[in-house]
Amino acid sequence: MSTVKHNYQWDSTENAMAFINFTVVKNKKSFDAEKVFLNTPCFVTEKYDGTNLAKDDLGVIYSRRFALGDDEQEFIKTSLKEVREADVSKLKSILIEAAGLDPNNIVKCIVYGEFICNAWYDYEKRGLIGKWKVFAAKLEVKEDGPAVLAKFRELGFAVPHRSGNPSHVKLYGNEKFFELAKQADLDVPDVRGTDVSFAKMVEMNKDDMKTGRIEGLVITLNTEDSGYKFIKWKGSQEFQPHAHTNFQKANDLIQTSRTHEIYGSINTNSRDHTRL
């Protein structure tokens, strides 16, 4: 295995419970529960229990810390065939054309995906072992990173307001990104909600989350302060004590807000209301 480190790691994905705690508790003076949980559209996909692998337009594959050697055909005892065959350069060309970018300004295109290497849940039955589920991309540009970011935002891509590295342009998974990824013949996660509210997303997926049928959810949503956020919500099978404690504080505030009344009124046919 290669020991060559790289600087293209995917940032850690924010936990949904931490997001809820920050949104509700830390901003309680300006908190608008109805707006956040009922009126903010979410794009929701299945979260898989695998490992993060990235690939660039030159064909280099990256684990979280190291670049894999060209001769490596397996990772964590799982065939890399699907990842090796994925054509990232095709997606790069599609993104450049879609946004009307100068190709000479693009240094690198990196695509991030979840590599399914664990036989958990029903992954074997669904034929997911060895699949590479692409969820985001990053363009490294020579200059004008903020302008490129703004251009993608105008075109309907899910991007943050700003990047920690101005030469890196992040594109989170949403309908627009998935559409172009599919045009490049890249596999994407199963969609479990499009343009649905946070509350509706909970209602739609609560049974699978509570019974452990899936590992969790990944949610893309727009926020006023940071632009689009990319957050994960793990199922009940993995206890997260710190996140759970913070979530309880937020949940207490939500239960006393008008949002709970509204959500309860549209969900009266359910005998088991999921508490946000």
Side-chain angles (χ1 to χ4, degrees), residues 95-106 139 141 147-148 151-152:
L95 290 172
I96 289 173
E97 182 178 357
L101 303 179
D102 177 5
N104 295 320
N105 190 38
I106 309 302
L139 293 178
V141 299
V148 174
K151 184 170 289 188
F152 276 111

Side-chain angles (χ1 to χ4, degrees), residues 220-269:
T220 306
L221 76 167
N222 200 5
T223 63
E224 289 184 356
D225 58 337
S226 304
Y228 278 91
K229 277 184 170 289
F230 197 63
I231 61 179
K232 63 184 177 183
W233 194 333
K234 290 191 175 184
S236 58
Q237 64 273 20
E238 183 173 333
F239 184 53
Q240 304 162 77
H242 180 67
H244 182 75
T245 299
N246 288 334
F247 173 75
Q248 289 288 29
K249 297 176 184 177
N251 188 44
D252 290 342
L253 290 177
I254 292 171
Q255 299 310 311
T256 60
S257 73
R258 184 168 175 266
T259 295
H260 182 61
E261 297 173 5
I262 297 171
Y263 184 54
S265 69
I266 65 175
N267 202 23
T268 53
N269 292 328

Side-chain angles (χ1 to χ4, degrees), residues 161-230:
H161 280 330
R162 62 191 65 83
S163 174
N165 185 334
S167 66
H168 287 180
V169 177
K170 288 183 184 177
L171 306 175
Y172 297 140
N174 74 343
E175 269 192 291
K176 185 74 173 180
F177 177 77
F178 276 23
E179 176 189 337
L180 299 191
K182 289 177 182 177
Q183 287 180 26
D185 300 315
L186 299 178
D187 196 8
V188 295
D190 287 354
V191 176
R192 299 184 69 94
T194 301
D195 286 333
V196 296
S197 70
F198 205 103
K200 185 65 176 178
M201 176 268 296
V202 172
E203 180 187 356
M204 291 168 61
N205 293 283
K206 64 178 182 179
D207 289 340
D208 285 346
M209 290 283 282
K210 287 168 61 177
T211 58
R213 292 176 191 160
I214 59 175
E215 211 246 345
L217 301 172
V218 176
I219 308 148
T220 306
L221 76 167
N222 200 5
T223 63
E224 289 184 356
D225 58 337
S226 304
Y228 278 91
K229 277 184 170 289
F230 197 63

